[in-house]
C-alpha cells in the first residue's frame, strides 16, 4: 500500500505513468531548455550507496544530468536527493542538518527540488514534510522507481509528494543504474532480512528477504565486467542465507564459485554474512576460488552470550570464534573485520569484559564500533536497564583503544610483505600532499603507495590498474608502501581493462557527463564509492561467458 500527500487531482493523472519512452528526456526539462542537474547525497551503508546508483540511473534515463564537481560541492543542483539511513540515532540529525542547510539554497535557486528517500523516509514518511515543508518529494525503500515521476508530479502540482510503498514494488537491480566506478561495483543478491535482532530496524524498513535468481546475478556481473570492472562486491543484509527463498541452502557457496569463474573478473567480495548461517561450504568456496579475496566482514555485535541472547543473535561467542578459526585454517592471510555494539540494554561490566575478551582473541584487522542507541520500533528500545550515556561512552573508549592496538599490531605484521593494490581514484585525503596514490590490497586493507622517482606519465598506474609493491610501514587503519622510492625494481604496474576504461572516460570529459561522484556520508560500514560513472540498464539473462 502506498500513501500520497496530498491527493493528486484527476487532471494530473497522466503524470502517474511518467513520460512516454520517446519523451524520456522531456520529463526533466522543457523542449529546448538546458537539462536539469541533480546530486545524490548518500547517508548509510553499502546498500544505500548502491540504491543511490539506481536513483542516479533513473534520473539520467529521465533526462537529468549529474551536477558538475563545483556545483555538487556548492550543492547548486536543480534536484538534490538525500538517501537516508535509520540505523543510528544520529541519522535524523544528519538528515535535518542537511535539510536545514538546503533551505537557504532552495530559496536562492528558483525551481530547485529536494527529495528524501531511503530508510528514514520509509520510517518517518509524511513527518519529514511536516518538519521540513520545503521538501518536495519523500519516497521509501520499496519504490525507488517512483523518484522521477514524483519529481515531475511535485513540479506540476506545486506541492509535496509523499509516496511510501508497504512492500517491494520493483526489484532494485532491474532499474537503470549509474555506476560510480568503472573498475569496481556493487551487485545485490538479495534485499530485506528475515532475522529478528532486537536492536535492528532494517527488517521493518526493507521487508522480508527476497532473493534474486542466480542467472540474473551472473548476468549483471558479466555486464559490469564487459564495461571494464575487475572487482565486484555481492550485497545482502545476510548474504549466506541466500537461496532459502527458492529452496537451496547451498546457493551462496555455489554463487561465489560461479561469480568467481567469470572471465575477466579478478576480485570478488561479499557483505555481510551472519554468523548463525555461516557454513563450511562457504569457507571452502572462498578458499578454492582464487578470485574470492582473503577478506571477511563478520558482525560480532557482542562477546557476551547473555547479551547475544537478548539481541536475538542465534550464535554464541564460541561458535563465532570457531568460524574465524576455520576461515584462517584455509586462508591464513584473511583480514577479518566486524561490527560491535557497546552498551546494549542491561549490559554489565562482566558482559563488556566478555566483548573485550572475544575481540582480543579474534584479532580483527579493524572494527566498526557503535554506541547503542534506542531505535523506536525495535524490541530493544523498550527493554529495561537502558544504560547511562556516560557508562556507554567510557566502555566505547576502552573498546576503541583495544581495537586500535590490535589493528596496529596486525598491520605491523604486514610490513615487508608484497601486496597487489587495486588503485582507486580518491581514497586518500593526503595523497596530493604526499604524492602517493591509494588503493586496496587483496585483503581490503587501505594502502598508500609512492611512485618511483622519474616514472614516466604513461607508465604511472591509473585507477583500476594493479600495482605490486612492498609494505614499508603501518598505521592502525592503513598501510604505506614506499618501496618504489628506494627500490624501483620492487614496484610493478599491471595495466588492466579497468584502467583502460577509466582512461577512456577521462578522455570523454569529467565523469563522462560533466558530473561529480555521488556524495557519501556513512553512518554504517560503507566504503567511499569509487568515482567514474557506468550507466547500465536491465541486464540480460544470457549465460555468462567463461
Amino acid at each position: 500500500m502506498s500513501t500520497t500527500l496530498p491527493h493528486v487531482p484527476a487532471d494530473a493523472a497522466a503524470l502517474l505513468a511518467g513520460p512516454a519512452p520517446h519523451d524520456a528526456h522531456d520529463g526533466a526539462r522543457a523542449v529546448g531548455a538546458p537539462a536539469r542537474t541533480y546530486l545524490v547525497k548518500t547517508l548509510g551503508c553499502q546498500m544505500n550507496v548502491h540504491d543511490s546508483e539506481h536513483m542516479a540511473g533513473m534520473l539520467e534515463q529521465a533526462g537529468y544530468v549529474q551536477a558538475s564537481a563545483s556545483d555538487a560541492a556548492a550543492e547548486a543542483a536543480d534536484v538534490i536527493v538525500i538517501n537516508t539511513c535509520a540505523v543510528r540515532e544520529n541519522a535524523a540529525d544528519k538528515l535535518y542538518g542537511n535539510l536545514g542547510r538546503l533551505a537557504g539554497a532552495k530559496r536562492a535557486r528558483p525551481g530547485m527540488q529536494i527529495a528524501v528517500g531511503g530508510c528514514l523516509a520509509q520510517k518517518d514518511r509524511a513527518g519529514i514534510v511536516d518538519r521540513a515543508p520545503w521538501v518536495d518529494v519523500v519516497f521509501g525503500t520499496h519504490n525507488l522507481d517512483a523518484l522521477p515521476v514524483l519529481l515531475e508530479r511535485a513540479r506540476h502540482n506545486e506541492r509535496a509528494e509523499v509516496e511510501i510503498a508497504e512492500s517491494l514494488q520493483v526489484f532494485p537491480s532491474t532499474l537503470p543504474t549509474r555506476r560510480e566506478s568503472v573498475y569496481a561495483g556493487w551487485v545485490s543478491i538479495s534485499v530485506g532480512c528475515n532475522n529478528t535482532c532486537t536492536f535492528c530496524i532494517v527488517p521493518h524498513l526493507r521487508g522480508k528477504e527476497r532473493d534474486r535468481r542466480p542467472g540474473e546475478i551472473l548476468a549483471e556481473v558479466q555486464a559490469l565486467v564487459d564495461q571494464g570492472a575487475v572487482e565486484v562486491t555481492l550485497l545482502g543484509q545476510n548474504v549466506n542465507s541466500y537461496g532459502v527463498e527458492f529452496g537451496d541452502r547451498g546457493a551462496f557457496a555455489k554463487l561465489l564459485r560461479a561469480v568467481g569463474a567469470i572471465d575477466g573478473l579478478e576480485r570478488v567480495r561479499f557483505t555481510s554474512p551472519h554468523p548463525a548461517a555461516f557454513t563450511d561450504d562457504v569457507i571452502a568456496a572462498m578458499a578454492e576460488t582464487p578470485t574470492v579475496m582473503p577478506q571477511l566482514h563478520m558482525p560480532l555485535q557482542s562477546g557476551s552470550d547473555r547479551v547475544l541472547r537478548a539481541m536475538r543473535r542465534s550464535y554464541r561467542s564460541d561458535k563465532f570464534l570457531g568460524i574465524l578459526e576455520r576461515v584462517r585454517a584455509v586462508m591464513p592471510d584473511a583480514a577479518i573485520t566486524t561490527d560491535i555494539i557497546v552498551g546494549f540494554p542491561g549490559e554489565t561490566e562482566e558482559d563488556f569484559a566478555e566483548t573485550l575478551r572475544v575481540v582480543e582473541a579474534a584479532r580483527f584487522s579493524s572494527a566498526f564500533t557503535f554506541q547503542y542507541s534506542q531505535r523506536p520500533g525495535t524490541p530493544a528500545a523498550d527493554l529495561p536497564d537502558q544504560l547511562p550515556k556516560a557508562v556507554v561512552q567510557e566502555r566505547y573508549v576502552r573498546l576503541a583503544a583495544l581495537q586500535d592496538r590490535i589493528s596496529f599490531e596486525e598491520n605491523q605484521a604486514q610490513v615487508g610483505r608484497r601486496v597487489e593494490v587495486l588503485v582507486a581514484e580518491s581514497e586518500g585525503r593526503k595523497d596530493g600532499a604526499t604524492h602517493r596514490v591509494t588503493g586496496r590490497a587483496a585483503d581490503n586493507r587501505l594502502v598508500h603507495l609512492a611512485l618511483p622517482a622519474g616514472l614516466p606519465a604513461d607508465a604511472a598506474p591509473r585507477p583500476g590498474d594493479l600495482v605490486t609493491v612492498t609494505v614499508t610501514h603501518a598505521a592502525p587503519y592503513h598501510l604505506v608502501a614506499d618501496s618504489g622510492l628506494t627500490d624501483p625494481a620492487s614496484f610493478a604496474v599491471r595495466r588492466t581493462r579497468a584502467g583502460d576504461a577509466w582512461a577512456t572516460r577521462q578522455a570523454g570529459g569529467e565523469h563522462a557527463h560533466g558530473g561529480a561522484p555521488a556524495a557519501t556520508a556513512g553512518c554504517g560500514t560503507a566504503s567511499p564509492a569509487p568515482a567514474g560513472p557506468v550507466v547500465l540498464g536491465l541486464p540480460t539473462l544470457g549465460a555468462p561467458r567463461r
Side-chain angles (χ1 to χ4, degrees):
M1 178 181 178
S2 64
T3 59
T4 302
L5 179 73
H7 177 68
V8 181
D11 61 359
L15 292 171
L16 294 175
H22 64 279
D23 291 326
H25 290 264
D26 292 337
R29 66 184 189 273
V31 175
R36 284 168 59 79
T37 60
Y38 76 90
L39 169 66
V40 180
K41 297 172 67 68
T42 307
L43 311 176
C45 65
Q46 293 98 328
M47 298 294 288
N48 277 27
V49 172
H50 192 33
D51 283 350
S52 291
E53 292 184 327
H54 295 312
M55 295 173 192
M58 289 183 296
L59 290 172
E60 295 207 353
Q61 187 179 69
Y64 295 83
V65 174
Q66 191 178 49
S68 67
S70 57
D71 283 349
E75 297 180 324
D78 296 312
V79 171
I80 295 182
V81 183
I82 304 177
N83 187 12
T84 63
C85 172
V87 172
R88 307 298 301 152
E89 186 176 25
N90 65 353
D93 294 338
K94 289 186 176 183
L95 169 63
Y96 291 106
N98 275 272
L99 292 178
R101 188 179 61 253
L102 290 173
K106 185 172 181 180
R107 285 193 298 269
R109 190 181 182 92
M112 178 181 174
Q113 291 182 288
I114 300 171
V116 178
C119 291
L120 197 63
Q122 185 77 25
K123 173 179 170 291
D124 288 356
R125 307 185 177 214
I128 292 173
V129 176
D130 292 339
R131 186 167 169 181
W134 55 92
V135 169
D136 299 277
V137 168
V138 177
F139 63 106
T141 58
H142 297 313
N143 62 327
L144 302 183
D145 58 306
L147 173 59
V149 172
L150 291 174
L151 288 167
E152 286 307 298
R153 192 191 299 167
R155 290 178 68 199
H156 180 276
N157 296 337
E158 297 183 344
R159 56 189 180 186
E161 295 291 335
V162 178
E163 185 168 290
I164 305 294
E166 301 298 337
S167 60
L168 194 66
Q169 304 299 294
V170 178
F171 207 103
S173 293
T174 66
L175 299 173
T177 306
R178 185 186 196 276
R179 302 281 182 177
E180 285 299 335
S181 171
V182 294
Y183 51 84
W186 314 103
V187 175
S188 292
I189 68 171
S190 63
V191 295
C193 182
N194 293 336
N195 294 314
T196 58
C197 302
T198 56
F199 57 82
C200 186
I201 199 169
V202 168
H204 174 66
L205 301 179
R206 295 228 175 226
K208 291 292 186 180
E209 182 173 323
R210 294 276 303 276
D211 294 335
R212 297 177 69 193
R213 300 300 299 188
E216 296 173 356
I217 297 167
L218 294 173
E220 184 175 352
V221 174
Q222 184 66 63
L224 278 170
V225 172
D226 290 345
Q227 293 278 358
V230 293
E231 176 179 301
V232 298
T233 300
L234 305 178
L235 287 180
Q237 299 293 346
N238 179 10
V239 291
N240 50 342
S241 68
Y242 171 75
V244 172
E245 186 181 14
F246 52 82
D248 184 355
R249 293 186 176 273
F252 184 58
K254 296 173 186 174
L255 182 67
L256 273 182
R257 294 179 187 273
V259 170
I262 290 178
D263 188 39
L265 187 61
E266 302 205 23
R267 293 185 169 191
V268 179
R269 306 187 191 278
F270 60 89
T271 195
S272 290
H274 192 295
F278 203 85
T279 51
D280 287 347
D281 61 338
V282 173
I283 297 174
M286 292 174 65
E288 295 166 10
T289 309
T291 50
V292 175
M293 294 293 95
Q295 174 239 334
L296 178 65
H297 184 76
M298 179 72 78
L300 169 64
Q301 306 302 3
S302 175
S304 164
D305 290 349
R306 192 186 71 81
V307 172
L308 288 172
R309 281 192 292 272
M311 289 179 167
R312 292 186 196 155
R313 300 284 289 180
S314 47
Y315 57 88
R316 301 296 173 255
S317 59
D318 284 349
K319 176 172 181 175
F320 184 93
L321 291 172
I323 294 171
L324 305 196
E325 182 179 354
R326 294 196 299 279
V327 169
R328 286 172 171 146
V330 294
M331 304 178 76
D333 297 328
I336 300 175
T337 58
T338 197
D339 298 330
I340 302 172
I341 296 172
V342 177
F344 187 81
E347 180 189 76
T348 65
E349 182 61 30
E350 291 74 20
D351 292 324
F352 181 65
E354 281 296 286
T355 294
L356 297 180
R357 177 189 67 83
V358 174
V359 168
E360 186 76 68
R363 307 297 297 180
F364 299 116
S365 61
S366 65
F368 297 93
T369 54
F370 305 96
Q371 298 184 40
Y372 172 77
S373 58
Q374 289 178 282
R375 306 310 295 137
T378 64
D382 299 321
L383 289 176
D385 300 323
Q386 302 283 332
L387 271 62
K389 173 68 174 177
V391 172
V392 178
Q393 175 68 24
E394 189 274 335
R395 290 177 184 172
Y396 176 83
V397 170
R398 276 193 282 158
L399 174 61
L402 172 61
Q403 184 56 54
D404 283 353
R405 173 178 65 78
I406 293 170
S407 295
F408 185 45
E409 291 170 354
E410 292 297 304
N411 278 357
Q412 281 184 312
Q414 303 297 309
V415 174
R417 290 192 59 188
R418 297 277 286 167
V419 294
E420 188 174 55
V421 179
L422 178 61
V423 176
E425 187 155 21
S426 57
E427 286 207 54
R429 287 176 292 180
K430 297 181 181 179
D431 286 348
T434 62
H435 305 291
R436 294 188 178 101
V437 297
T438 294
R440 296 276 172 175
D443 61 10
N444 212 37
R445 283 184 168 92
L446 188 66
V447 182
H448 304 292
L449 56 95
L451 305 180
L455 185 70
D458 60 0
R462 309 158 298 178
D465 286 339
L466 289 153
V467 178
T468 302
V469 70
T470 302
V471 177
T472 54
H473 55 283
Y477 294 103
H478 68 266
L479 303 174
V480 175
D482 283 351
S483 64
L485 296 178
T486 57
D487 180 16
S490 70
F491 184 95
V493 177
R494 177 158 64 89
R495 295 171 86 80
T496 67
R497 296 178 303 101
D500 294 342
W502 180 88
T504 298
R505 184 207 66 197
Q506 292 298 101
E510 182 186 14
H511 296 293
H513 295 284
T520 61
C523 59
T525 59
S527 297
V534 177
V535 181
L536 298 177
L538 177 65
T540 63
L541 299 182
R545 295 191 296 276
R546 300 291 175 88

Short mmCIF file of all heavy atoms in Angstrom, two decimals, residues 342-380:
data_model
loop_
_atom_site.label_atom_id
_atom_site.label_comp_id
_atom_site.label_asym_id
_atom_site.label_seq_id
_atom_site.Cartn_x
_atom_site.Cartn_y
_atom_site.Cartn_z
N VAL A 342 28.24 -1.35 21.71
CA VAL A 342 28.59 -1.16 23.11
C VAL A 342 27.39 -0.57 23.85
O VAL A 342 26.75 0.36 23.35
CB VAL A 342 29.80 -0.22 23.27
CG1 VAL A 342 30.12 0.02 24.74
CG2 VAL A 342 31.01 -0.79 22.56
N GLY A 343 27.08 -1.12 25.04
CA GLY A 343 26.05 -0.52 25.87
C GLY A 343 24.64 -0.97 25.57
O GLY A 343 23.68 -0.22 25.83
N PHE A 344 24.47 -2.19 25.05
CA PHE A 344 23.12 -2.73 24.85
C PHE A 344 22.41 -2.76 26.20
O PHE A 344 23.04 -2.97 27.25
CB PHE A 344 23.22 -4.13 24.24
CG PHE A 344 21.91 -4.71 23.83
CD1 PHE A 344 21.32 -4.35 22.63
CD2 PHE A 344 21.24 -5.62 24.65
CE1 PHE A 344 20.10 -4.88 22.25
CE2 PHE A 344 20.02 -6.15 24.27
CZ PHE A 344 19.45 -5.79 23.07
N PRO A 345 21.08 -2.56 26.21
CA PRO A 345 20.37 -2.52 27.49
C PRO A 345 20.69 -3.72 28.38
O PRO A 345 20.64 -4.87 27.94
CB PRO A 345 18.90 -2.52 27.06
CG PRO A 345 18.90 -1.86 25.73
CD PRO A 345 20.18 -2.29 25.08
N GLY A 346 21.03 -3.44 29.62
CA GLY A 346 21.33 -4.49 30.58
C GLY A 346 22.76 -5.00 30.54
O GLY A 346 23.13 -5.86 31.35
N GLU A 347 23.58 -4.48 29.62
CA GLU A 347 24.97 -4.93 29.54
C GLU A 347 25.69 -4.57 30.84
O GLU A 347 25.74 -3.41 31.23
CB GLU A 347 25.67 -4.27 28.36
CG GLU A 347 27.13 -4.68 28.22
CD GLU A 347 27.86 -3.85 27.17
OE1 GLU A 347 28.18 -2.67 27.47
OE2 GLU A 347 28.07 -4.36 26.05
N THR A 348 26.27 -5.56 31.50
CA THR A 348 27.02 -5.34 32.72
C THR A 348 28.50 -5.19 32.41
O THR A 348 28.95 -5.44 31.27
CB THR A 348 26.84 -6.52 33.69
OG1 THR A 348 27.41 -7.70 33.09
CG2 THR A 348 25.36 -6.78 33.98
N GLU A 349 29.28 -4.82 33.42
CA GLU A 349 30.72 -4.75 33.24
C GLU A 349 31.28 -6.12 32.89
O GLU A 349 32.21 -6.23 32.09
CB GLU A 349 31.39 -4.20 34.50
CG GLU A 349 32.90 -4.05 34.40
CD GLU A 349 33.35 -3.09 33.31
OE1 GLU A 349 32.61 -2.13 33.00
OE2 GLU A 349 34.45 -3.28 32.74
N GLU A 350 30.69 -7.17 33.44
CA GLU A 350 31.14 -8.54 33.11
C GLU A 350 30.83 -8.86 31.66
O GLU A 350 31.64 -9.51 30.97
CB GLU A 350 30.47 -9.55 34.05
CG GLU A 350 30.92 -9.49 35.50
CD GLU A 350 30.36 -8.28 36.25
OE1 GLU A 350 29.34 -7.69 35.79
OE2 GLU A 350 30.96 -7.91 37.27
N ASP A 351 29.66 -8.45 31.19
CA ASP A 351 29.32 -8.66 29.77
C ASP A 351 30.32 -7.94 28.87
O ASP A 351 30.80 -8.49 27.86
CB ASP A 351 27.92 -8.14 29.46
CG ASP A 351 26.82 -8.95 30.14
OD1 ASP A 351 26.97 -10.17 30.25
OD2 ASP A 351 25.83 -8.32 30.56
N PHE A 352 30.62 -6.70 29.23
CA PHE A 352 31.56 -5.93 28.41
C PHE A 352 32.95 -6.56 28.43
O PHE A 352 33.64 -6.58 27.40
CB PHE A 352 31.62 -4.49 28.91
CG PHE A 352 32.54 -3.62 28.10
CD1 PHE A 352 32.27 -3.33 26.77
CD2 PHE A 352 33.70 -3.11 28.66
CE1 PHE A 352 33.13 -2.55 26.02
CE2 PHE A 352 34.56 -2.32 27.91
CZ PHE A 352 34.28 -2.04 26.59
N ALA A 353 33.36 -7.11 29.57
CA ALA A 353 34.64 -7.78 29.64
C ALA A 353 34.70 -8.97 28.69
O ALA A 353 35.75 -9.28 28.11
CB ALA A 353 34.91 -8.24 31.08
N GLU A 354 33.55 -9.64 28.50
CA GLU A 354 33.49 -10.74 27.55
C GLU A 354 33.70 -10.24 26.12
O GLU A 354 34.35 -10.90 25.31
CB GLU A 354 32.15 -11.48 27.67
CG GLU A 354 32.06 -12.44 28.82
CD GLU A 354 33.07 -13.58 28.63
OE1 GLU A 354 32.82 -14.46 27.78
OE2 GLU A 354 34.11 -13.57 29.32
N THR A 355 33.13 -9.07 25.81
CA THR A 355 33.37 -8.49 24.48
C THR A 355 34.85 -8.21 24.28
O THR A 355 35.43 -8.52 23.23
CB THR A 355 32.54 -7.21 24.30
OG1 THR A 355 31.15 -7.56 24.29
CG2 THR A 355 32.89 -6.51 23.00
N LEU A 356 35.50 -7.63 25.28
CA LEU A 356 36.94 -7.35 25.18
C LEU A 356 37.72 -8.65 24.99
O LEU A 356 38.68 -8.70 24.20
CB LEU A 356 37.42 -6.61 26.42
CG LEU A 356 36.83 -5.22 26.67
CD1 LEU A 356 37.43 -4.62 27.94
CD2 LEU A 356 37.04 -4.29 25.49
N ARG A 357 37.31 -9.70 25.70
CA ARG A 357 38.00 -10.99 25.57
C ARG A 357 37.89 -11.54 24.15
O ARG A 357 38.89 -12.00 23.56
CB ARG A 357 37.40 -12.01 26.56
CG ARG A 357 38.01 -13.42 26.45
CD ARG A 357 37.25 -14.42 27.30
NE ARG A 357 35.89 -14.66 26.81
CZ ARG A 357 35.60 -15.50 25.82
NH1 ARG A 357 36.56 -16.17 25.19
NH2 ARG A 357 34.34 -15.67 25.45
N VAL A 358 36.68 -11.50 23.58
CA VAL A 358 36.49 -12.04 22.23
C VAL A 358 37.23 -11.19 21.20
O VAL A 358 37.83 -11.72 20.26
CB VAL A 358 34.98 -12.14 21.91
CG1 VAL A 358 34.77 -12.56 20.45
CG2 VAL A 358 34.30 -13.13 22.84
N VAL A 359 37.22 -9.87 21.37
CA VAL A 359 37.94 -9.01 20.44
C VAL A 359 39.44 -9.31 20.49
O VAL A 359 40.11 -9.38 19.44
CB VAL A 359 37.67 -7.53 20.77
CG1 VAL A 359 38.63 -6.60 20.02
CG2 VAL A 359 36.22 -7.17 20.42
N GLU A 360 39.97 -9.51 21.67
CA GLU A 360 41.40 -9.85 21.79
C GLU A 360 41.69 -11.17 21.10
O GLU A 360 42.70 -11.32 20.39
CB GLU A 360 41.78 -9.94 23.27
CG GLU A 360 43.26 -10.16 23.52
CD GLU A 360 44.10 -8.90 23.33
OE1 GLU A 360 43.97 -7.96 24.12
OE2 GLU A 360 44.87 -8.88 22.34
N ALA A 361 40.80 -12.15 21.26
CA ALA A 361 41.02 -13.46 20.65
C ALA A 361 40.81 -13.44 19.14
O ALA A 361 41.48 -14.17 18.40
CB ALA A 361 40.08 -14.49 21.29
N ALA A 362 39.89 -12.61 18.67
CA ALA A 362 39.53 -12.61 17.25
C ALA A 362 40.57 -11.95 16.37
O ALA A 362 40.69 -12.28 15.18
CB ALA A 362 38.18 -11.92 17.05
N ARG A 363 41.31 -10.99 16.91
CA ARG A 363 42.35 -10.29 16.15
C ARG A 363 41.79 -9.68 14.86
O ARG A 363 42.29 -9.89 13.76
CB ARG A 363 43.52 -11.22 15.83
CG ARG A 363 44.14 -11.93 17.01
CD ARG A 363 44.75 -10.98 18.00
NE ARG A 363 45.86 -10.21 17.44
CZ ARG A 363 46.56 -9.30 18.12
NH1 ARG A 363 46.22 -9.01 19.38
NH2 ARG A 363 47.55 -8.64 17.55
N PHE A 364 40.75 -8.89 15.01
CA PHE A 364 40.16 -8.22 13.84
C PHE A 364 41.15 -7.22 13.27
O PHE A 364 41.85 -6.52 14.00
CB PHE A 364 38.89 -7.47 14.24
CG PHE A 364 37.80 -8.35 14.78
CD1 PHE A 364 37.36 -8.20 16.10
CD2 PHE A 364 37.20 -9.32 14.00
CE1 PHE A 364 36.36 -9.00 16.62
CE2 PHE A 364 36.19 -10.12 14.50
CZ PHE A 364 35.77 -9.97 15.81
N SER A 365 41.19 -7.12 11.95
CA SER A 365 42.04 -6.10 11.34
C SER A 365 41.46 -4.71 11.57
O SER A 365 42.20 -3.73 11.65
CB SER A 365 42.22 -6.37 9.85
OG SER A 365 40.98 -6.33 9.17
N SER A 366 40.15 -4.61 11.68
CA SER A 366 39.50 -3.36 12.06
C SER A 366 38.09 -3.70 12.50
O SER A 366 37.58 -4.80 12.26
CB SER A 366 39.48 -2.34 10.91
OG SER A 366 38.69 -2.81 9.84
N ALA A 367 37.45 -2.74 13.16
CA ALA A 367 36.09 -2.95 13.65
C ALA A 367 35.29 -1.66 13.55
O ALA A 367 35.82 -0.57 13.80
CB ALA A 367 36.11 -3.44 15.10
N PHE A 368 34.04 -1.79 13.19
CA PHE A 368 33.10 -0.68 13.23
C PHE A 368 32.39 -0.77 14.57
O PHE A 368 31.61 -1.70 14.81
CB PHE A 368 32.10 -0.76 12.08
CG PHE A 368 32.74 -0.66 10.73
CD1 PHE A 368 33.12 -1.80 10.03
CD2 PHE A 368 32.97 0.57 10.15
CE1 PHE A 368 33.72 -1.71 8.79
CE2 PHE A 368 33.58 0.67 8.89
CZ PHE A 368 33.95 -0.47 8.22
N THR A 369 32.69 0.14 15.48
CA THR A 369 32.15 0.10 16.83
C THR A 369 31.10 1.18 17.00
O THR A 369 31.27 2.31 16.54
CB THR A 369 33.27 0.27 17.87
OG1 THR A 369 34.00 1.47 17.58
CG2 THR A 369 34.23 -0.92 17.83
N PHE A 370 30.00 0.84 17.66
CA PHE A 370 28.87 1.74 17.80
C PHE A 370 28.40 1.78 19.24
O PHE A 370 28.38 0.76 19.92
CB PHE A 370 27.69 1.28 16.92
CG PHE A 370 28.04 1.10 15.48
CD1 PHE A 370 28.38 -0.14 14.98
CD2 PHE A 370 28.01 2.18 14.61
CE1 PHE A 370 28.70 -0.31 13.64
CE2 PHE A 370 28.33 2.02 13.27
CZ PHE A 370 28.67 0.78 12.78
N GLN A 371 28.00 2.94 19.70
CA GLN A 371 27.32 3.06 20.97
C GLN A 371 25.84 2.77 20.74
O GLN A 371 25.22 3.35 19.84
CB GLN A 371 27.52 4.45 21.56
CG GLN A 371 28.96 4.79 21.86
CD GLN A 371 29.12 6.14 22.52
OE1 GLN A 371 28.31 6.50 23.39
NE2 GLN A 371 30.14 6.88 22.15
N TYR A 372 25.28 1.87 21.54
CA TYR A 372 23.86 1.53 21.38
C TYR A 372 23.00 2.78 21.49
O TYR A 372 23.20 3.64 22.36
CB TYR A 372 23.42 0.51 22.43
CG TYR A 372 21.92 0.30 22.41
CD1 TYR A 372 21.34 -0.49 21.42
CD2 TYR A 372 21.09 0.94 23.32
CE1 TYR A 372 19.96 -0.64 21.35
CE2 TYR A 372 19.71 0.80 23.26
CZ TYR A 372 19.16 0.01 22.27
OH TYR A 372 17.79 -0.13 22.20
N SER A 373 22.03 2.88 20.59
CA SER A 373 21.05 3.96 20.66
C SER A 373 19.67 3.36 20.44
O SER A 373 19.50 2.43 19.65
CB SER A 373 21.34 5.04 19.62
OG SER A 373 21.34 4.50 18.31
N GLN A 374 18.69 3.85 21.17
CA GLN A 374 17.33 3.35 21.06
C GLN A 374 16.75 3.71 19.69
O GLN A 374 16.81 4.87 19.28
CB GLN A 374 16.45 3.95 22.15
CG GLN A 374 16.73 3.42 23.54
CD GLN A 374 15.87 4.09 24.59
OE1 GLN A 374 16.14 5.22 25.00
NE2 GLN A 374 14.82 3.42 25.03
N ARG A 375 16.22 2.72 19.00
CA ARG A 375 15.55 2.98 17.74
C ARG A 375 14.08 2.65 17.90
O ARG A 375 13.72 1.48 18.10
CB ARG A 375 16.14 2.12 16.59
CG ARG A 375 17.64 2.26 16.42
CD ARG A 375 18.12 3.71 16.34
NE ARG A 375 17.63 4.41 15.16
CZ ARG A 375 17.15 5.64 15.21
NH1 ARG A 375 17.07 6.30 16.33
NH2 ARG A 375 16.75 6.22 14.10
N PRO A 376 13.19 3.65 17.90
CA PRO A 376 11.76 3.38 18.04
C PRO A 376 11.29 2.34 17.03
O PRO A 376 11.68 2.37 15.86
CB PRO A 376 11.13 4.75 17.76
CG PRO A 376 12.19 5.73 18.12
CD PRO A 376 13.49 5.07 17.73
N GLY A 377 10.50 1.40 17.50
CA GLY A 377 10.02 0.33 16.64
C GLY A 377 10.80 -0.96 16.78
O GLY A 377 10.40 -1.97 16.21
N THR A 378 11.89 -0.93 17.55
CA THR A 378 12.66 -2.16 17.80
C THR A 378 12.36 -2.67 19.20
O THR A 378 12.13 -1.88 20.13
CB THR A 378 14.17 -1.92 17.66
OG1 THR A 378 14.59 -1.00 18.69
CG2 THR A 378 14.50 -1.34 16.30
N PRO A 379 12.37 -4.00 19.42
CA PRO A 379 12.11 -4.53 20.77
C PRO A 379 13.07 -4.00 21.82
O PRO A 379 12.68 -3.78 22.97
CB PRO A 379 12.27 -6.05 20.57
CG PRO A 379 11.96 -6.29 19.12
CD PRO A 379 12.49 -5.08 18.42
N ALA A 380 14.34 -3.80 21.45
CA ALA A 380 15.33 -3.36 22.43
C ALA A 380 15.02 -1.97 22.97
O ALA A 380 15.45 -1.62 24.08
CB ALA A 380 16.72 -3.39 21.82
#
